[in-house]
Amino acid sequence: QNNPLLGLPIVAIETILSFLSYDEISLLRSVCKRMDMICQRVLNQGFLKVERYHSLCQRQVKAQLRQRESERRNHSLARHADILAAVETRLSLL
C-alpha cells in the first residue's frame, strides 16, 4: 500500500480515471480493495449517466411521435424509437 497514487484523495483519483475508458477502469479493479471501491464508483456513475441520457432521448423522441399507433409507425422518428427501446432492453439487463 505504498503506492503514491492511492494516497491521493478519491476526487483526484476519479479525475485521473476519467481519462481512461470504462474497460480500462474495470481492469484496474483488481489492483487492491481501495482501487476496486473507487473504480466501482466511477463505473456506477458512468452507468447512471448513460441511463439518464437514454431516458432524456427517449422522452424527447416520444414527445414528437403521434398518439395513434398507425401514424406512429410511419413517422420519421419511428426507427429512432425502436432503437431506443432496444437500448432500454440492453440497459435493463445490465
Side-chain angles (χ1 to χ4, degrees):
Q1 296 292 334
N2 294 331
N3 190 331
L5 176 67
L6 295 174
L8 294 172
I10 291 176
V11 177
I13 297 172
E14 287 176 349
T15 302
I16 293 167
L17 292 177
S18 71
F19 293 99
L20 301 176
S21 70
Y22 289 114
D23 187 46
E24 292 169 327
I25 293 171
S26 69
L27 295 174
L28 289 174
R29 292 181 63 198
S30 63
V31 171
C32 67
K33 287 182 181 180
R34 178 169 162 80
M35 187 60 91
D36 178 44
M37 186 242 343
I38 295 168
C39 290
Q40 279 183 30
R41 261 179 65 152
V42 172
L43 294 170
N44 286 335
Q45 288 171 356
F47 180 77
L48 292 174
K49 280 183 188 177
V50 167
E51 276 190 325
R52 283 192 295 269
Y53 183 68
H54 172 267
S55 179
L56 174 70
C57 291
Q58 199 165 32
R59 275 195 308 269
Q60 289 174 342
V61 169
K62 281 188 176 182
Q64 296 176 26
L65 287 175
R66 305 281 187 230
Q67 293 296 327
R68 296 179 67 184
E69 182 68 31
S70 59
E71 293 175 352
R72 202 179 310 153
R73 284 191 198 126
N74 297 328
H75 196 276
S76 61
L77 292 176
R79 178 115 172 96
H80 295 282
D82 291 343
I83 291 169
L84 287 169
V87 169
E88 181 178 27
T89 303
R90 283 9 173 243
L91 283 174
S92 67
L93 293 175
L94 290 174

